[in-house]
Amino acid sequence: MTTATPPAAPAPSLTSVFVRLKLSLLKNGLKQSGGRTAAYIISVVFAALFAVVLLLGFVLMRGSVNAPTVTVLLTGIVALAWTVMPLFVPSGDETLDPSRLVMLPLRPRPLVRALFVASLVGVGPVFTLCVSVGAALALAHGAAGTLVAVLAVPLVVLVCVALSRSVAAANVRLLTSRKGRDLAVLSGLVIAVGMQMVNFGAQRLSQAGGLSAVEPAAEVVGWLPPASAISAVDAAGEGDYAVAAAKLLLSAAALVGLVYWWQRSLVRLMVEPDGSTVGAASESGAKKSKGAKGEASAGLLGRMLPGGRTGAVMERSLRYIWRDPKTKAAWVTSLAIGAIIPVFNALQGTGTIYFACFASGMLGIQMYNQFGQDTSAFWMVAQTIGTKADAYAELRARAFALLTITVPYTVLVTAVTAAMLDAWHKLPEALGVALALLGAMVATGAVASATFPYSIPQDSAYKNVAPGQGGLAWMSIFGGMVSAAVLCAPVIGLTLFLHLADHDNLLWLLLPGGALYGALLTWAGLKLAAPRVAGRLPEILAAVSKG
């Protein structure tokens, strides 16, 4: 007698599996550390508060003549954020990397559908939904406007998510490479530049007399998906049904095109080999070619630098700036902010040439924690330091490498600021103060590097201090900055005295005086730090190797 085999349970749909996977990744990620859980909760709270404020603002804006301009531009900004966030924060969502799925027997179309639905789970989609609902409430009038709004709200969310996913899939190999990590580290620079752009735009709007100055931009953005869907709500409420239909169809067509691009990227990712699977011969040839180019560039750089230990240390420091992701990010951010603050204030007509001191101040910070950027490799440097003279030579060469970039850059920013403000007569005094500040920052940075060294974690793009060393970092940077300001007091006091005493004919003396004073401060700081480095090598090595 045979027993009937019970029917096999139906396999769960791929979409439900991926939704549960997304929730599991989120839950397990929050269990990793209390700090990550706290950061997630804080982000949720702030996103919810911001969404509520936007919703209330949109409701209060209902019927305003500026409502179409604000809602369309804000929707465009949200879509732009969805576009660039995968490029700068690729590690924020593990499911952004479809290369993890290439070995599974999954077809592209069901995979796209499952990933698409799973992507709708999260803070970002909910926040985008709140923005879309608020924008629709501000613009919807009449039955036609309400009907278009019902279609536009989900369309905006779907287009934003599809846009983010298609960009991530098309650039997944970049995002998981070293260049992608470099790009992620530079996200702070984009935020800093963006904040200055927002500040500049807000002041321009107030000077122009309101939002009427950006109405032409809103009209253009209103034809770009997904903002065109929100603009369609306004057009339908005004009775322009043809324009409303065209803008709504434009967003729908963009959604279809983005999903198709996403699918093609997944197919290419699953079929085509990446750089790690090419043949050994071609890889060997590529390495030889890169090696030849590297040797040529190394020879050129070496010929430009002095000989001996000074040139070797300078070359090593300059290569750190170019090759190490975190060092590169710190330098690029300092270079950008050091120019943005004086230049943007000059454009707004509210600046002063002394804002150029931000250039020397931002770049002078790079002298702090000199040994921390070496991490555990500092033990190789420590083997070459046996006396105070060795420590002084090491610190002096590192300072020379920094000054090779900072001095020309400070001169350039000060000159550009003087040209924009038409204040060439103030160039010598401002440049003298800036060079004195740079010398003070280098001096205090050398002493802080020897007194308060700390480690820079390499396993995370967003951690610049090892756990337990936050106090050291604060004492090093902020204590050094206060000390630098005190050391610059004589030059600043002399500048004020010459102005108050109407000795304008003597202000040019501040340029050579400030440069000489900065050089003396640098020399004194290096001399003071050298014996501390030589005497505290074990402590410095232990501090920079932590984590």
Side-chain angles (χ1 to χ4, degrees), residues 494-507:
L494 179 60
T495 305
L496 293 174
F497 170 76
L498 292 177
H499 275 285
L500 294 175
D502 292 330
H503 294 315
D504 295 346
N505 58 327
L506 299 179
L507 286 172

Side-chain angles (χ1 to χ4, degrees), residues 123-267:
V123 178
V126 174
F127 175 78
T128 306
L129 178 64
C130 294
V131 173
S132 305
V133 170
L137 290 174
L139 297 178
H141 298 284
T146 303
L147 177 61
V148 174
V150 171
L151 299 175
V153 169
L155 194 56
V156 169
V157 178
L158 294 177
V159 170
C160 287
V161 173
L163 182 60
S164 173
R165 287 293 174 161
S166 57
V167 170
N171 297 278
V172 64
R173 284 172 180 162
L174 168 66
L175 299 179
T176 55
S177 66
R178 176 173 177 174
K179 291 182 178 179
R181 291 192 293 271
D182 291 353
L183 190 64
V185 173
L186 293 177
S187 58
L189 171 62
V190 176
I191 295 174
V193 175
M195 291 176 64
Q196 288 294 328
M197 292 293 291
V198 170
N199 181 37
F200 180 68
Q203 294 198 12
R204 285 291 182 180
L205 282 178
S206 62
Q207 295 174 2
L211 294 172
S212 58
V214 295
E215 287 182 359
E219 292 179 1
V220 175
V221 176
W223 285 96
L224 300 177
S228 60
I230 295 299
S231 183
V233 178
D234 181 58
E238 297 292 333
D240 200 345
Y241 303 123
V243 173
K247 291 184 175 182
L248 201 62
L249 289 175
L250 190 60
S251 290
L255 176 61
V256 174
L258 288 171
V259 172
Y260 178 75
W261 180 29
W262 184 8
Q263 181 176 329
R264 290 296 302 269
S265 298
L266 287 178
V267 171

Side-chain angles (χ1 to χ4, degrees), residues 277-368:
T277 60
V278 295
S282 60
E283 184 177 349
S284 177
K287 288 183 177 179
K288 289 181 180 179
S289 176
K290 291 182 179 179
K293 293 180 180 179
E295 291 176 2
S297 62
L300 178 61
L301 181 60
R303 288 192 295 270
M304 297 173 61
L305 298 175
R309 177 173 187 145
T310 300
V313 175
M314 289 181 66
E315 183 174 355
R316 183 186 68 217
S317 299
L318 294 173
R319 289 191 179 279
Y320 272 158
I321 296 172
W322 181 251
R323 292 182 176 179
D324 181 65
K326 289 198 171 183
T327 306
K328 182 193 298 184
W331 271 91
V332 172
T333 303
S334 297
L335 288 168
I337 296 178
I340 286 173
I341 293 177
V343 169
F344 270 67
N345 279 278
L347 286 174
Q348 295 168 5
T350 59
T352 172
I353 192 172
Y354 290 102
F355 278 165
C357 292
F358 275 98
S360 55
M362 291 299 300
L363 295 180
I365 293 177
Q366 304 309 314
M367 188 63 189
Y368 291 76

Side-chain angles (χ1 to χ4, degrees), residues 395-469:
L395 287 171
R396 183 185 60 185
R398 291 177 182 244
F400 282 168
L402 183 140
L403 294 172
T404 300
I405 301 174
T406 55
V407 171
Y409 186 77
T410 299
V411 174
L412 176 63
V413 171
T414 309
V416 170
T417 307
M420 297 181 67
L421 295 173
D422 194 19
W424 290 106
H425 60 287
K426 294 184 178 181
L427 177 61
E429 56 185 277
L431 186 56
V433 174
L435 292 177
L437 175 61
L438 179 59
M441 295 291 288
V442 174
T444 56
V447 175
S449 297
T451 308
F452 304 112
Y454 56 91
S455 177
I456 301 177
Q458 300 297 309
D459 58 346
S460 173
Y462 309 102
K463 293 180 180 179
N464 292 315
V465 181
Q469 293 186 328

Side-chain angles (χ1 to χ4, degrees), residues 5-30:
T5 303
S13 67
L14 186 63
T15 301
S16 63
V17 170
F18 269 76
V19 171
R20 292 199 301 271
L21 175 63
K22 178 67 176 288
L23 295 174
S24 298
L25 287 172
L26 178 61
K27 180 177 65 175
N28 294 333
L30 295 178

